[in-house]
């Protein structure tokens, strides 16, 4: 029975991902007939999807089951891999590796990773999936000399887990900068959204347990699927200079 429920859930999630937010999936009767299942089994699966924020129910003559496309919460207070925070919120994490290479870093990367002339980086580009639906586009770079053989590893899961288990690196902290940007045509195609749709660009420098930079990444998150969360500590006005969070207003061109 558990296997049948999981198969039913996957079929419904596939239809949700193929649809658009606000679209009607159908009534309970329609869906039970479409998926060839009992209404009691359907209700159990729909209840779990509703709790996860993927669908919502409207009662009445024009009611039924509608697509919500619930938002994935990205907690800025923790340095964790994407699979960890997806799993904690009830999603099935997935990854599509787009490209990998060892290359010469640009100036921003050299500065962030404190690299010298002639040093290289390992570059990994991936699409992250939540229940099969794309929600982020990752572009991560690591010092090549520090992580030999990184591209020979299984890159579909958490890179932080690989760094810890294979190289003994533990993430100490991450400095992140968040900007609102618009999707280019290529980014929109990869993420399944319209060109110029809203994205959150998170530029991150991650440091190891010794304070050395180990990762420089530029990640794009779908604005319609991502909510940011942070826990801020109150320190009092007299100690406000100790706070490390800041908001920067960018000057508009023209």
């Amino acid at each position: 029975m558990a296997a049948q429920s999981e198969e039913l859930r996957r079929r419904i999630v596939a239809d949700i991902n193929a649809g658009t937010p606000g679209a009607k999936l159908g009534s309970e009767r329609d869906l039970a007939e479409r998926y060839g299942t009992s209404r009691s089994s359907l209700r159990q699966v729909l209840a779990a999807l509703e709790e996860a924020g993927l669908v919502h129910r409207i009662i009445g003559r024009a009611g039924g089951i509608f697509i919500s496309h619930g938002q994935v919460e990205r907690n800025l207070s923790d340095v964790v891999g994407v699979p960890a925070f997806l799993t904690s919120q009830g999603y099935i994490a997935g990854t599509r590796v787009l490209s990998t290479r060892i290359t010469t870093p640009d100036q921003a990367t050299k500065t962030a990773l404190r690299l010298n002339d002639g040093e290289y980086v390992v570059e990994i580009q991936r699409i992250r999936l939540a229940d099969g639906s794309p929600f982020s586009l990752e572009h991560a770079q690591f010092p090549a000399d520090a992580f030999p053989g990184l591209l020979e590893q299984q890159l579909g899961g958490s890179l932080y887990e690989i760094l810890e288990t294979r190289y003994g690196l533990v993430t100490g902290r991450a400095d992140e900068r968040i900007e609102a940007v618009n999707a280019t045509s290529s980014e929109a195609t990869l993420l399944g959204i319209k060109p110029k749709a809203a994205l959150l660009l998170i530029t991150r420098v991650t440091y190891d347990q010794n304070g050395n930079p180990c990762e420089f990444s530029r990640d794009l998150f779908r604005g319609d699927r991502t909510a940011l969360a942070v826990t801020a500590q109150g320190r009092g006005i007299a100690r406000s200079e100790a706070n490390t969070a800041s908001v920067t207003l960018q000057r508009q061109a023209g």
Side-chain angles (χ1 to χ4, degrees):
M1 183 64 68
Q4 293 177 348
S5 296
E6 177 60 20
E7 175 61 23
L8 176 60
R9 191 197 72 84
R10 289 180 181 274
R11 292 178 63 190
I12 297 176
V13 167
D15 286 343
I16 291 172
N17 291 334
T20 57
K24 184 177 179 179
L25 281 177
S27 66
E28 269 193 12
R29 178 181 298 175
D30 294 336
L31 295 178
E33 292 178 357
R34 181 190 309 172
Y35 299 118
T37 188
S38 67
R39 294 180 69 172
S40 60
S41 297
L42 177 68
R43 288 192 189 106
Q44 292 180 357
V45 174
L46 289 177
L49 294 176
E50 190 169 9
E51 185 176 353
L54 294 180
V55 299
H56 62 277
R57 187 188 306 267
I58 296 179
I59 307 299
R61 181 174 298 178
I65 311 301
F66 292 80
I67 298 174
S68 296
H69 273 329
Q71 291 185 319
V72 176
E73 185 173 285
R74 168 73 156 77
N75 194 319
L76 301 178
S77 304
D78 300 319
V79 183
V80 297
V82 169
F85 71 73
L86 283 179
T87 301
S88 69
Q89 294 173 56
Y91 293 95
I92 295 178
T95 301
R96 188 183 308 150
V97 179
L98 295 177
S99 65
T100 62
R101 62 174 180 167
I102 297 177
T103 186
T104 303
D106 59 22
Q107 188 55 52
T109 305
K110 287 176 63 177
T111 301
L113 295 177
R114 303 174 191 166
L115 298 175
N116 298 316
D117 291 340
E119 292 188 290
Y120 293 88
V121 292
V122 175
E123 180 183 271
I124 301 171
Q125 295 191 66
R126 308 186 294 178
I127 295 177
R128 289 298 202 175
L129 311 171
D131 282 339
S133 177
F135 85 99
S136 73
L137 180 60
E138 294 182 347
H139 178 263
Q141 297 179 93
F142 306 87
D145 289 344
F147 306 110
L150 178 58
L151 294 185
E152 300 170 9
Q153 308 304 309
Q154 294 292 330
L155 302 177
S158 170
L159 294 179
Y160 291 156
E161 183 176 341
I162 294 175
L163 298 184
E164 182 171 342
T165 56
R166 180 171 178 81
Y167 301 97
L169 181 148
V170 178
T171 54
R173 79 173 202 276
D175 294 337
E176 297 187 331
R177 178 184 177 88
I178 305 166
E179 303 172 59
V181 299
N182 298 112
T184 65
S185 296
S186 60
E187 292 164 353
T189 299
L190 290 171
L191 291 172
I193 55 178
K194 295 180 179 180
K196 298 185 178 180
L199 297 174
L200 292 174
L201 168 62
I202 300 183
T203 304
R204 178 175 62 257
V205 181
T206 306
Y207 298 84
D208 64 17
Q209 64 268 43
N210 300 314
N212 299 314
C214 58
E215 176 200 23
F216 181 56
S217 67
R218 302 177 183 93
D219 300 340
L220 290 167
F221 290 82
R222 284 178 51 167
D224 63 336
R225 296 295 313 276
T226 310
L228 300 179
V230 63
T231 300
Q233 296 292 334
R235 299 176 182 273
I237 296 175
R239 299 178 59 190
S240 61
E241 68 278 2
N243 291 331
T244 57
S246 65
V247 175
T248 302
L249 298 181
Q250 297 194 13
R251 188 182 303 275
Q252 289 185 321

